[in-house]
Amino acid sequence: MRGREPGGMPESGSEKESKGGHNRRVHMANERTFLAWVRTSIAIMAFGFVVEKFSLFVKQMGYYLGKEAAPPQPGYSAMIGIVLVGLGLVMGVLAFIRYKAVEKQIEDDTYHPSVILSVLLFLSLLSIGVFLILYLYHSR
C-alpha cells in the first residue's frame, strides 16, 4: 500500500483529482452540505405540518376522552404551520441554488462563502421558538 495513509486514503500529495485539477473531495463535501440543508428543510416542513395539524389532534382527543373541547383559536396553528412549511420550501430552493453556485466556484477556483442560508436557518429557529412560546403561553 505505497502512497496511502494507514486508513487506506491516498496521501495528500497523490490524491486523485477530477477534470480541471480540482479535488473530488471538495465536490463531495459540497454535496454533503447540500444534503444536510435538504434534511433541515424537510424537517422544518414536517414540523410545520405537525403544528398545523396539532389543533385537530387536540380536538379529536377531546372527543375521544368525552370532554367538550373549546374550539381552537382560529388561525394560530394553521398560520404558524403554513409559515414553517413555506420557510422549509424556501430553504430547500436556496440550498439548491447555493449548491450549484458553489459547484461552479469550485470548478473556477473562486470560492466565496455565503451567509444567507445560515441566517435563514437562525431566523427560522428563532421564529419557531418565539411562536411556540407564544402558542403555549396563550393556550394555558
Side-chain angles (χ1 to χ4, degrees), residues 8-77:
M9 298 303 294
E11 291 177 358
S12 60
S14 64
E15 287 180 355
K16 295 196 175 193
E17 296 178 349
S18 65
K19 289 183 194 173
H22 299 289
N23 191 333
R24 284 185 249 172
R25 289 182 184 197
V26 178
H27 286 286
M28 291 188 299
N30 184 34
E31 188 170 344
R32 284 190 302 271
T33 302
F34 169 65
L35 293 174
W37 280 109
V38 168
R39 284 190 304 271
T40 303
S41 171
I42 291 170
I44 290 174
M45 286 189 283
F47 185 66
F49 182 79
V50 168
V51 167
E52 201 277 328
K53 297 298 180 188
F54 184 69
S55 64
L56 178 63
F57 171 75
V58 169
K59 187 176 181 181
Q60 292 294 328
M61 285 304 293
Y63 289 138
Y64 178 74
L65 296 174
K67 298 178 181 176
E68 277 299 316
Q73 297 290 337
Y76 245 174
S77 292

Side-chain angles (χ1 to χ4, degrees), residues 30 34 94-106:
N30 184 34
F34 169 65
L94 288 176
F96 178 73
I97 292 169
R98 181 65 187 156
Y99 168 72
K100 294 309 275 182
V102 168
E103 185 177 53
K104 183 170 178 5
Q105 289 174 1
I106 291 170

